[in-house]
Amino acid sequence: MIDKSKIKKVLLLGSGALKIGEAGEFDYSGSQALKAIREEGIKTVLVNPNIATVQTSDGIADEIYFLPVTPFFVEKVIAKERPDGILLSFGGQTALNCGVQLYKNGIFEKYGVQVLGTPVQAIIDTEDRELFVQKLDEIDVKTISSHAVENIEAARKAASELGYPVIVRAAYALGGLGSGFCDNEEELNELCRKAFSFSPQVLVEKSLKGWKEIEYEVVRDCHDNCITVCNMENFDPLGIHTGESIVIAPSQTLTNSEYHKLRELAIRIIRHIGIVGECNVQYALDPYSEDYRVIEVNARLSRSSALASKATGYPLAFVAAKLGLGYGLYELKNSVTQTTPAFFEPALDYVVCKIPRWDLGKFHGVSRQLGSSMKSVGEVMAIGRSFEEAIQKGLRMIGQGMHGFVENKELVIRDIDKALHEPTDTRIFVISKAFRQRYTVDQIHELTKIDRWFLQRLHNIINTAEALESLTRLDELQPDLLLKAKQQGFSDFQIARAIYKKARNSMEKAVLEVRSRRKKVRYCAGSQTNRHSGGRVSGGDKLSVSNL
């Protein structure tokens, strides 16, 4: 329990240097935490070497030290500032690792600094694989068959016991650094050499490639009250890092039984480990049964937390910082809605889609293949009433010159089967091309292991595009087809390109013609609705008209 009256100054470990896996990804959580702490009248001290962040802006923290987030420099800041408390879980993996090292070195005890929020031992229990497995075994929760090793010989032995294929992961590493899949001993040796250069401990785990990857954002206070704020589902199956995958919130393909089973497990795990604040639990789920494995628990805010916060309107980092000071969930209000309490689980009647953004074209000789190690440098978030609408909106925003899932510039692919089986940064557009080449949903599923539900929805977009392309003039476009296209996220540009593809019209002029047609249809639909309902617009009609 924390005595809030004794906390006068708090040190926060910030988002770290500008590189993949750090920086802006954790800027949101850090800046929200600083605002929450300052709201309590507590002085804040920030350690963050990255000037290109919101949290280092004037007025966010009382004192800022532009120093590396390492034990050496943080100890110097502690010695000078003498904070009463420290927050470790708002700066990503770098801040977490630094905090664990300071704890082991006795620095917190030496200077009388109290760790706010999740206890350090709970962090260690989630970061050390052997301790993590032991902890979850105590409550009969399944984990991936795994061996923590400290040299290549032990890794070879572990792989032979587990049986190939295996996945190798560096412990305590950022963004899946030094990880990958191995089908034989030669690949294992090569990957282990790389992994041991990042971490003293390497995890050799049984591969569950092809299983679904599901994530739950969970919040707990010091009184053992828990809620799950959001659950998310990866478009890609296990084998591709979450930061490299399209992510959909809330999950779309889980049954009611699967959803509640994983939710109950997430709450049981967070209570048993003793996390205070926010964490996320990642699962591998067998697509053909309710069998599952817990991949990992991040006892900190993550890039997924920022997505969940913006997707649900629940300020996860803000609430987590308050919980770190000893508040209960029932004592806090949701600062976004201003009406619901922090104890209220958000319910979404819309779909949120996160799409990673890569800039691999800037680097010569880099592999475009995606895997368990992160290469993305950013991400976009799109919101829609349906998966089709959200994914099309998102694909327009990723900065690759695309206009959505269809009506893009021609993608040159020599071997579609290979491009589907070995994912790259253009995989989603390869799927579009495969559908155009008359691949079926089942064929693409076999090559990608992407859930058929997602593929069927993408196929719906292809069907609508082909219906538009069959038209020769804009006045042939019926209101029902136009409405369907807009509900599936088609922009006016996409509709114009589909209809005028064979014509010589200026595309700029064609887009204006489509817009004019859409406005006219919308006006007519609105007038008709008002006449039929005596001036009142029913919910269904209102939605139909607004989608135009």
PDB file of all heavy atoms in Angstrom, residues 490-522:
ATOM      1  N   PHE A 490     -14.614   2.399 -49.474  1.00  0.00           N
ATOM      2  CA  PHE A 490     -14.143   2.905 -50.764  1.00  0.00           C
ATOM      3  C   PHE A 490     -14.128   4.438 -50.726  1.00  0.00           C
ATOM      4  O   PHE A 490     -15.119   5.062 -50.329  1.00  0.00           O
ATOM      5  CB  PHE A 490     -15.060   2.443 -51.904  1.00  0.00           C
ATOM      6  CG  PHE A 490     -14.794   1.045 -52.391  1.00  0.00           C
ATOM      7  CD1 PHE A 490     -15.203  -0.055 -51.650  1.00  0.00           C
ATOM      8  CD2 PHE A 490     -14.147   0.829 -53.593  1.00  0.00           C
ATOM      9  CE1 PHE A 490     -14.970  -1.345 -52.095  1.00  0.00           C
ATOM     10  CE2 PHE A 490     -13.905  -0.462 -54.056  1.00  0.00           C
ATOM     11  CZ  PHE A 490     -14.320  -1.554 -53.297  1.00  0.00           C
ATOM     12  N   SER A 491     -13.041   5.041 -51.167  1.00  0.00           N
ATOM     13  CA  SER A 491     -12.982   6.489 -51.307  1.00  0.00           C
ATOM     14  C   SER A 491     -13.579   6.883 -52.660  1.00  0.00           C
ATOM     15  O   SER A 491     -13.757   6.037 -53.548  1.00  0.00           O
ATOM     16  CB  SER A 491     -11.532   6.976 -51.233  1.00  0.00           C
ATOM     17  OG  SER A 491     -10.797   6.484 -52.342  1.00  0.00           O
ATOM     18  N   ASP A 492     -13.882   8.170 -52.837  1.00  0.00           N
ATOM     19  CA  ASP A 492     -14.392   8.642 -54.133  1.00  0.00           C
ATOM     20  C   ASP A 492     -13.370   8.354 -55.232  1.00  0.00           C
ATOM     21  O   ASP A 492     -13.735   8.043 -56.364  1.00  0.00           O
ATOM     22  CB  ASP A 492     -14.681  10.149 -54.069  1.00  0.00           C
ATOM     23  CG  ASP A 492     -15.904  10.448 -53.212  1.00  0.00           C
ATOM     24  OD1 ASP A 492     -16.620   9.486 -52.858  1.00  0.00           O
ATOM     25  OD2 ASP A 492     -16.147  11.625 -52.893  1.00  0.00           O
ATOM     26  N   PHE A 493     -12.073   8.445 -54.886  1.00  0.00           N
ATOM     27  CA  PHE A 493     -11.016   8.179 -55.865  1.00  0.00           C
ATOM     28  C   PHE A 493     -11.090   6.725 -56.336  1.00  0.00           C
ATOM     29  O   PHE A 493     -10.969   6.444 -57.533  1.00  0.00           O
ATOM     30  CB  PHE A 493      -9.640   8.469 -55.263  1.00  0.00           C
ATOM     31  CG  PHE A 493      -8.498   8.246 -56.216  1.00  0.00           C
ATOM     32  CD1 PHE A 493      -7.997   9.292 -56.983  1.00  0.00           C
ATOM     33  CD2 PHE A 493      -7.916   6.987 -56.375  1.00  0.00           C
ATOM     34  CE1 PHE A 493      -6.953   9.091 -57.872  1.00  0.00           C
ATOM     35  CE2 PHE A 493      -6.879   6.774 -57.263  1.00  0.00           C
ATOM     36  CZ  PHE A 493      -6.395   7.839 -58.013  1.00  0.00           C
ATOM     37  N   GLN A 494     -11.245   5.782 -55.385  1.00  0.00           N
ATOM     38  CA  GLN A 494     -11.321   4.365 -55.754  1.00  0.00           C
ATOM     39  C   GLN A 494     -12.519   4.088 -56.666  1.00  0.00           C
ATOM     40  O   GLN A 494     -12.402   3.348 -57.640  1.00  0.00           O
ATOM     41  CB  GLN A 494     -11.427   3.487 -54.498  1.00  0.00           C
ATOM     42  CG  GLN A 494     -10.124   3.314 -53.731  1.00  0.00           C
ATOM     43  CD  GLN A 494     -10.359   2.536 -52.457  1.00  0.00           C
ATOM     44  OE1 GLN A 494     -10.988   3.025 -51.517  1.00  0.00           O
ATOM     45  NE2 GLN A 494      -9.879   1.303 -52.408  1.00  0.00           N
ATOM     46  N   ILE A 495     -13.662   4.684 -56.333  1.00  0.00           N
ATOM     47  CA  ILE A 495     -14.859   4.483 -57.156  1.00  0.00           C
ATOM     48  C   ILE A 495     -14.641   5.057 -58.554  1.00  0.00           C
ATOM     49  O   ILE A 495     -14.985   4.424 -59.565  1.00  0.00           O
ATOM     50  CB  ILE A 495     -16.085   5.134 -56.473  1.00  0.00           C
ATOM     51  CG1 ILE A 495     -16.395   4.403 -55.151  1.00  0.00           C
ATOM     52  CG2 ILE A 495     -17.307   5.094 -57.393  1.00  0.00           C
ATOM     53  CD1 ILE A 495     -17.418   5.095 -54.272  1.00  0.00           C
ATOM     54  N   ALA A 496     -14.042   6.254 -58.606  1.00  0.00           N
ATOM     55  CA  ALA A 496     -13.771   6.892 -59.898  1.00  0.00           C
ATOM     56  C   ALA A 496     -12.811   6.056 -60.731  1.00  0.00           C
ATOM     57  O   ALA A 496     -13.029   5.839 -61.927  1.00  0.00           O
ATOM     58  CB  ALA A 496     -13.196   8.292 -59.668  1.00  0.00           C
ATOM     59  N   ARG A 497     -11.760   5.548 -60.100  1.00  0.00           N
ATOM     60  CA  ARG A 497     -10.775   4.749 -60.844  1.00  0.00           C
ATOM     61  C   ARG A 497     -11.405   3.454 -61.344  1.00  0.00           C
ATOM     62  O   ARG A 497     -11.107   2.998 -62.452  1.00  0.00           O
ATOM     63  CB  ARG A 497      -9.563   4.452 -59.966  1.00  0.00           C
ATOM     64  CG  ARG A 497      -8.538   3.575 -60.644  1.00  0.00           C
ATOM     65  CD  ARG A 497      -7.253   3.430 -59.847  1.00  0.00           C
ATOM     66  NE  ARG A 497      -6.310   4.510 -60.154  1.00  0.00           N
ATOM     67  CZ  ARG A 497      -5.062   4.539 -59.719  1.00  0.00           C
ATOM     68  NH1 ARG A 497      -4.606   3.573 -58.944  1.00  0.00           N
ATOM     69  NH2 ARG A 497      -4.266   5.524 -60.029  1.00  0.00           N
ATOM     70  N   ALA A 498     -12.291   2.846 -60.533  1.00  0.00           N
ATOM     71  CA  ALA A 498     -12.940   1.594 -60.943  1.00  0.00           C
ATOM     72  C   ALA A 498     -13.830   1.802 -62.163  1.00  0.00           C
ATOM     73  O   ALA A 498     -13.808   1.010 -63.111  1.00  0.00           O
ATOM     74  CB  ALA A 498     -13.758   1.029 -59.787  1.00  0.00           C
ATOM     75  N   ILE A 499     -14.599   2.890 -62.161  1.00  0.00           N
ATOM     76  CA  ILE A 499     -15.554   3.136 -63.253  1.00  0.00           C
ATOM     77  C   ILE A 499     -14.859   3.699 -64.494  1.00  0.00           C
ATOM     78  O   ILE A 499     -15.176   3.318 -65.622  1.00  0.00           O
ATOM     79  CB  ILE A 499     -16.670   4.088 -62.775  1.00  0.00           C
ATOM     80  CG1 ILE A 499     -17.483   3.412 -61.654  1.00  0.00           C
ATOM     81  CG2 ILE A 499     -17.594   4.479 -63.935  1.00  0.00           C
ATOM     82  CD1 ILE A 499     -18.489   4.317 -60.985  1.00  0.00           C
ATOM     83  N   TYR A 500     -13.889   4.580 -64.297  1.00  0.00           N
ATOM     84  CA  TYR A 500     -13.262   5.277 -65.426  1.00  0.00           C
ATOM     85  C   TYR A 500     -11.913   4.669 -65.824  1.00  0.00           C
ATOM     86  O   TYR A 500     -11.142   5.293 -66.535  1.00  0.00           O
ATOM     87  CB  TYR A 500     -13.050   6.754 -65.071  1.00  0.00           C
ATOM     88  CG  TYR A 500     -14.328   7.544 -64.937  1.00  0.00           C
ATOM     89  CD1 TYR A 500     -14.760   7.997 -63.691  1.00  0.00           C
ATOM     90  CD2 TYR A 500     -15.112   7.836 -66.051  1.00  0.00           C
ATOM     91  CE1 TYR A 500     -15.928   8.724 -63.556  1.00  0.00           C
ATOM     92  CE2 TYR A 500     -16.280   8.561 -65.928  1.00  0.00           C
ATOM     93  CZ  TYR A 500     -16.689   9.003 -64.682  1.00  0.00           C
ATOM     94  OH  TYR A 500     -17.842   9.724 -64.555  1.00  0.00           O
ATOM     95  N   LYS A 501     -11.652   3.453 -65.368  1.00  0.00           N
ATOM     96  CA  LYS A 501     -10.343   2.838 -65.640  1.00  0.00           C
ATOM     97  C   LYS A 501     -10.041   2.779 -67.137  1.00  0.00           C
ATOM     98  O   LYS A 501      -8.915   3.019 -67.567  1.00  0.00           O
ATOM     99  CB  LYS A 501     -10.301   1.433 -65.033  1.00  0.00           C
ATOM    100  CG  LYS A 501      -8.911   0.813 -65.004  1.00  0.00           C
ATOM    101  CD  LYS A 501      -8.903  -0.490 -64.226  1.00  0.00           C
ATOM    102  CE  LYS A 501      -8.787  -0.251 -62.742  1.00  0.00           C
ATOM    103  NZ  LYS A 501      -8.661  -1.485 -61.965  1.00  0.00           N
ATOM    104  N   LYS A 502     -11.068   2.486 -67.943  1.00  0.00           N
ATOM    105  CA  LYS A 502     -10.837   2.331 -69.382  1.00  0.00           C
ATOM    106  C   LYS A 502     -11.049   3.647 -70.137  1.00  0.00           C
ATOM    107  O   LYS A 502     -10.756   3.748 -71.324  1.00  0.00           O
ATOM    108  CB  LYS A 502     -11.787   1.272 -69.933  1.00  0.00           C
ATOM    109  CG  LYS A 502     -11.525  -0.124 -69.366  1.00  0.00           C
ATOM    110  CD  LYS A 502     -12.633  -1.085 -69.738  1.00  0.00           C
ATOM    111  CE  LYS A 502     -12.454  -2.420 -69.020  1.00  0.00           C
ATOM    112  NZ  LYS A 502     -13.583  -3.313 -69.216  1.00  0.00           N
ATOM    113  N   ALA A 503     -11.587   4.648 -69.457  1.00  0.00           N
ATOM    114  CA  ALA A 503     -11.837   5.936 -70.123  1.00  0.00           C
ATOM    115  C   ALA A 503     -10.624   6.846 -70.025  1.00  0.00           C
ATOM    116  O   ALA A 503      -9.689   6.582 -69.273  1.00  0.00           O
ATOM    117  CB  ALA A 503     -13.053   6.602 -69.482  1.00  0.00           C
ATOM    118  N   ARG A 504     -10.657   7.935 -70.781  1.00  0.00           N
ATOM    119  CA  ARG A 504      -9.523   8.850 -70.772  1.00  0.00           C
ATOM    120  C   ARG A 504      -9.796  10.099 -69.931  1.00  0.00           C
ATOM    121  O   ARG A 504      -9.117  11.101 -70.058  1.00  0.00           O
ATOM    122  CB  ARG A 504      -9.187   9.268 -72.212  1.00  0.00           C
ATOM    123  CG  ARG A 504      -8.707   8.100 -73.066  1.00  0.00           C
ATOM    124  CD  ARG A 504      -8.252   8.563 -74.429  1.00  0.00           C
ATOM    125  NE  ARG A 504      -7.733   7.464 -75.218  1.00  0.00           N
ATOM    126  CZ  ARG A 504      -7.281   7.596 -76.463  1.00  0.00           C
ATOM    127  NH1 ARG A 504      -7.317   8.770 -77.066  1.00  0.00           N
ATOM    128  NH2 ARG A 504      -6.809   6.559 -77.117  1.00  0.00           N
ATOM    129  N   ASN A 505     -10.837  10.041 -69.130  1.00  0.00           N
ATOM    130  CA  ASN A 505     -11.184  11.195 -68.304  1.00  0.00           C
ATOM    131  C   ASN A 505     -10.043  11.572 -67.368  1.00  0.00           C
ATOM    132  O   ASN A 505      -9.304  10.708 -66.893  1.00  0.00           O
ATOM    133  CB  ASN A 505     -12.418  10.885 -67.441  1.00  0.00           C
ATOM    134  CG  ASN A 505     -13.655  10.717 -68.271  1.00  0.00           C
ATOM    135  OD1 ASN A 505     -13.609  10.073 -69.306  1.00  0.00           O
ATOM    136  ND2 ASN A 505     -14.757  11.275 -67.815  1.00  0.00           N
ATOM    137  N   SER A 506      -9.927  12.861 -67.108  1.00  0.00           N
ATOM    138  CA  SER A 506      -8.999  13.305 -66.074  1.00  0.00           C
ATOM    139  C   SER A 506      -9.474  12.731 -64.745  1.00  0.00           C
ATOM    140  O   SER A 506     -10.647  12.842 -64.397  1.00  0.00           O
ATOM    141  CB  SER A 506      -8.987  14.833 -66.006  1.00  0.00           C
ATOM    142  OG  SER A 506      -8.527  15.258 -64.762  1.00  0.00           O
ATOM    143  N   MET A 507      -8.550  12.086 -63.994  1.00  0.00           N
ATOM    144  CA  MET A 507      -8.949  11.448 -62.739  1.00  0.00           C
ATOM    145  C   MET A 507      -9.459  12.485 -61.739  1.00  0.00           C
ATOM    146  O   MET A 507     -10.391  12.228 -60.977  1.00  0.00           O
ATOM    147  CB  MET A 507      -7.765  10.664 -62.149  1.00  0.00           C
ATOM    148  CG  MET A 507      -8.157   9.709 -61.035  1.00  0.00           C
ATOM    149  SD  MET A 507      -9.577   8.620 -61.402  1.00  0.00           S
ATOM    150  CE  MET A 507      -8.916   7.598 -62.690  1.00  0.00           C
ATOM    151  N   GLU A 508      -8.874  13.669 -61.782  1.00  0.00           N
ATOM    152  CA  GLU A 508      -9.313  14.728 -60.868  1.00  0.00           C
ATOM    153  C   GLU A 508     -10.772  15.098 -61.154  1.00  0.00           C
ATOM    154  O   GLU A 508     -11.590  15.243 -60.242  1.00  0.00           O
ATOM    155  CB  GLU A 508      -8.414  15.954 -61.030  1.00  0.00           C
ATOM    156  CG  GLU A 508      -8.649  17.027 -59.979  1.00  0.00           C
ATOM    157  CD  GLU A 508      -7.662  18.170 -60.110  1.00  0.00           C
ATOM    158  OE1 GLU A 508      -6.541  17.959 -60.600  1.00  0.00           O
ATOM    159  OE2 GLU A 508      -8.035  19.286 -59.718  1.00  0.00           O
ATOM    160  N   LYS A 509     -11.090  15.208 -62.438  1.00  0.00           N
ATOM    161  CA  LYS A 509     -12.461  15.530 -62.842  1.00  0.00           C
ATOM    162  C   LYS A 509     -13.397  14.371 -62.490  1.00  0.00           C
ATOM    163  O   LYS A 509     -14.527  14.579 -62.033  1.00  0.00           O
ATOM    164  CB  LYS A 509     -12.489  15.805 -64.346  1.00  0.00           C
ATOM    165  CG  LYS A 509     -13.868  16.205 -64.877  1.00  0.00           C
ATOM    166  CD  LYS A 509     -13.828  16.395 -66.387  1.00  0.00           C
ATOM    167  CE  LYS A 509     -15.229  16.669 -66.929  1.00  0.00           C
ATOM    168  NZ  LYS A 509     -15.246  16.751 -68.403  1.00  0.00           N
ATOM    169  N   ALA A 510     -12.933  13.140 -62.691  1.00  0.00           N
ATOM    170  CA  ALA A 510     -13.748  11.960 -62.413  1.00  0.00           C
ATOM    171  C   ALA A 510     -14.101  11.877 -60.927  1.00  0.00           C
ATOM    172  O   ALA A 510     -15.231  11.533 -60.566  1.00  0.00           O
ATOM    173  CB  ALA A 510     -13.000  10.702 -62.842  1.00  0.00           C
ATOM    174  N   VAL A 511     -13.141  12.180 -60.054  1.00  0.00           N
ATOM    175  CA  VAL A 511     -13.389  12.141 -58.607  1.00  0.00           C
ATOM    176  C   VAL A 511     -14.462  13.165 -58.233  1.00  0.00           C
ATOM    177  O   VAL A 511     -15.357  12.888 -57.424  1.00  0.00           O
ATOM    178  CB  VAL A 511     -12.082  12.395 -57.816  1.00  0.00           C
ATOM    179  CG1 VAL A 511     -12.377  12.535 -56.326  1.00  0.00           C
ATOM    180  CG2 VAL A 511     -11.087  11.262 -58.036  1.00  0.00           C
ATOM    181  N   LEU A 512     -14.391  14.355 -58.835  1.00  0.00           N
ATOM    182  CA  LEU A 512     -15.385  15.399 -58.556  1.00  0.00           C
ATOM    183  C   LEU A 512     -16.781  14.968 -59.021  1.00  0.00           C
ATOM    184  O   LEU A 512     -17.785  15.255 -58.368  1.00  0.00           O
ATOM    185  CB  LEU A 512     -14.985  16.709 -59.238  1.00  0.00           C
ATOM    186  CG  LEU A 512     -13.752  17.409 -58.645  1.00  0.00           C
ATOM    187  CD1 LEU A 512     -13.369  18.617 -59.489  1.00  0.00           C
ATOM    188  CD2 LEU A 512     -14.019  17.839 -57.200  1.00  0.00           C
ATOM    189  N   GLU A 513     -16.822  14.239 -60.143  1.00  0.00           N
ATOM    190  CA  GLU A 513     -18.110  13.747 -60.651  1.00  0.00           C
ATOM    191  C   GLU A 513     -18.708  12.710 -59.687  1.00  0.00           C
ATOM    192  O   GLU A 513     -19.917  12.705 -59.439  1.00  0.00           O
ATOM    193  CB  GLU A 513     -17.925  13.141 -62.043  1.00  0.00           C
ATOM    194  CG  GLU A 513     -17.684  14.180 -63.132  1.00  0.00           C
ATOM    195  CD  GLU A 513     -17.382  13.547 -64.485  1.00  0.00           C
ATOM    196  OE1 GLU A 513     -17.444  12.303 -64.578  1.00  0.00           O
ATOM    197  OE2 GLU A 513     -17.076  14.294 -65.425  1.00  0.00           O
ATOM    198  N   VAL A 514     -17.848  11.822 -59.163  1.00  0.00           N
ATOM    199  CA  VAL A 514     -18.314  10.816 -58.196  1.00  0.00           C
ATOM    200  C   VAL A 514     -18.818  11.504 -56.927  1.00  0.00           C
ATOM    201  O   VAL A 514     -19.874  11.164 -56.380  1.00  0.00           O
ATOM    202  CB  VAL A 514     -17.188   9.819 -57.845  1.00  0.00           C
ATOM    203  CG1 VAL A 514     -17.597   8.926 -56.666  1.00  0.00           C
ATOM    204  CG2 VAL A 514     -16.846   8.951 -59.045  1.00  0.00           C
ATOM    205  N   ARG A 515     -18.065  12.494 -56.470  1.00  0.00           N
ATOM    206  CA  ARG A 515     -18.473  13.241 -55.270  1.00  0.00           C
ATOM    207  C   ARG A 515     -19.842  13.905 -55.483  1.00  0.00           C
ATOM    208  O   ARG A 515     -20.718  13.845 -54.621  1.00  0.00           O
ATOM    209  CB  ARG A 515     -17.412  14.288 -54.929  1.00  0.00           C
ATOM    210  CG  ARG A 515     -17.773  15.177 -53.754  1.00  0.00           C
ATOM    211  CD  ARG A 515     -16.652  16.192 -53.483  1.00  0.00           C
ATOM    212  NE  ARG A 515     -17.107  17.227 -52.578  1.00  0.00           N
ATOM    213  CZ  ARG A 515     -17.198  17.111 -51.267  1.00  0.00           C
ATOM    214  NH1 ARG A 515     -16.879  15.971 -50.678  1.00  0.00           N
ATOM    215  NH2 ARG A 515     -17.615  18.120 -50.520  1.00  0.00           N
ATOM    216  N   SER A 516     -20.006  14.525 -56.639  1.00  0.00           N
ATOM    217  CA  SER A 516     -21.264  15.198 -56.952  1.00  0.00           C
ATOM    218  C   SER A 516     -22.420  14.197 -56.971  1.00  0.00           C
ATOM    219  O   SER A 516     -23.500  14.461 -56.433  1.00  0.00           O
ATOM    220  CB  SER A 516     -21.144  15.904 -58.303  1.00  0.00           C
ATOM    221  OG  SER A 516     -22.354  16.477 -58.684  1.00  0.00           O
ATOM    222  N   ARG A 517     -22.175  13.043 -57.598  1.00  0.00           N
ATOM    223  CA  ARG A 517     -23.184  11.978 -57.656  1.00  0.00           C
ATOM    224  C   ARG A 517     -23.538  11.500 -56.240  1.00  0.00           C
ATOM    225  O   ARG A 517     -24.700  11.295 -55.910  1.00  0.00           O
ATOM    226  CB  ARG A 517     -22.626  10.823 -58.501  1.00  0.00           C
ATOM    227  CG  ARG A 517     -23.402   9.525 -58.438  1.00  0.00           C
ATOM    228  CD  ARG A 517     -24.568   9.514 -59.363  1.00  0.00           C
ATOM    229  NE  ARG A 517     -25.150   8.196 -59.489  1.00  0.00           N
ATOM    230  CZ  ARG A 517     -26.362   7.973 -59.940  1.00  0.00           C
ATOM    231  NH1 ARG A 517     -27.125   8.980 -60.327  1.00  0.00           N
ATOM    232  NH2 ARG A 517     -26.841   6.739 -60.024  1.00  0.00           N
ATOM    233  N   ARG A 518     -22.525  11.323 -55.416  1.00  0.00           N
ATOM    234  CA  ARG A 518     -22.733  10.840 -54.041  1.00  0.00           C
ATOM    235  C   ARG A 518     -23.554  11.841 -53.234  1.00  0.00           C
ATOM    236  O   ARG A 518     -24.464  11.463 -52.499  1.00  0.00           O
ATOM    237  CB  ARG A 518     -21.372  10.608 -53.372  1.00  0.00           C
ATOM    238  CG  ARG A 518     -21.453  10.180 -51.932  1.00  0.00           C
ATOM    239  CD  ARG A 518     -20.115   9.648 -51.436  1.00  0.00           C
ATOM    240  NE  ARG A 518     -19.054  10.613 -51.554  1.00  0.00           N
ATOM    241  CZ  ARG A 518     -18.821  11.590 -50.661  1.00  0.00           C
ATOM    242  NH1 ARG A 518     -19.598  11.739 -49.611  1.00  0.00           N
ATOM    243  NH2 ARG A 518     -17.793  12.413 -50.824  1.00  0.00           N
ATOM    244  N   LYS A 519     -23.235  13.110 -53.371  1.00  0.00           N
ATOM    245  CA  LYS A 519     -23.975  14.154 -52.646  1.00  0.00           C
ATOM    246  C   LYS A 519     -25.447  14.183 -53.085  1.00  0.00           C
ATOM    247  O   LYS A 519     -26.348  14.351 -52.260  1.00  0.00           O
ATOM    248  CB  LYS A 519     -23.338  15.527 -52.894  1.00  0.00           C
ATOM    249  CG  LYS A 519     -21.938  15.687 -52.306  1.00  0.00           C
ATOM    250  CD  LYS A 519     -21.993  15.813 -50.807  1.00  0.00           C
ATOM    251  CE  LYS A 519     -20.616  16.084 -50.224  1.00  0.00           C
ATOM    252  NZ  LYS A 519     -20.632  16.108 -48.754  1.00  0.00           N
ATOM    253  N   LYS A 520     -25.649  13.987 -54.380  1.00  0.00           N
ATOM    254  CA  LYS A 520     -27.015  14.009 -54.917  1.00  0.00           C
ATOM    255  C   LYS A 520     -27.816  12.825 -54.364  1.00  0.00           C
ATOM    256  O   LYS A 520     -28.958  12.970 -53.932  1.00  0.00           O
ATOM    257  CB  LYS A 520     -26.965  13.962 -56.445  1.00  0.00           C
ATOM    258  CG  LYS A 520     -28.327  14.076 -57.117  1.00  0.00           C
ATOM    259  CD  LYS A 520     -28.172  14.050 -58.634  1.00  0.00           C
ATOM    260  CE  LYS A 520     -29.539  14.098 -59.319  1.00  0.00           C
ATOM    261  NZ  LYS A 520     -29.401  14.012 -60.799  1.00  0.00           N
ATOM    262  N   VAL A 521     -27.200  11.627 -54.366  1.00  0.00           N
ATOM    263  CA  VAL A 521     -27.873  10.428 -53.854  1.00  0.00           C
ATOM    264  C   VAL A 521     -28.148  10.578 -52.362  1.00  0.00           C
ATOM    265  O   VAL A 521     -29.214  10.214 -51.862  1.00  0.00           O
ATOM    266  CB  VAL A 521     -27.012   9.168 -54.122  1.00  0.00           C
ATOM    267  CG1 VAL A 521     -27.581   7.955 -53.396  1.00  0.00           C
ATOM    268  CG2 VAL A 521     -26.920   8.900 -55.615  1.00  0.00           C
ATOM    269  N   ARG A 522     -27.194  11.144 -51.651  1.00  0.00           N
ATOM    270  CA  ARG A 522     -27.343  11.329 -50.211  1.00  0.00           C
ATOM    271  C   ARG A 522     -28.510  12.269 -49.912  1.00  0.00           C
ATOM    272  O   ARG A 522     -29.314  12.029 -49.010  1.00  0.00           O
ATOM    273  CB  ARG A 522     -26.051  11.899 -49.619  1.00  0.00           C
ATOM    274  CG  ARG A 522     -26.104  12.098 -48.121  1.00  0.00           C
ATOM    275  CD  ARG A 522     -24.825  12.716 -47.603  1.00  0.00           C
ATOM    276  NE  ARG A 522     -24.918  12.905 -46.163  1.00  0.00           N
ATOM    277  CZ  ARG A 522     -24.001  13.523 -45.439  1.00  0.00           C
ATOM    278  NH1 ARG A 522     -22.921  13.995 -46.024  1.00  0.00           N
ATOM    279  NH2 ARG A 522     -24.136  13.667 -44.143  1.00  0.00           N
TER     280      ARG A 522
END
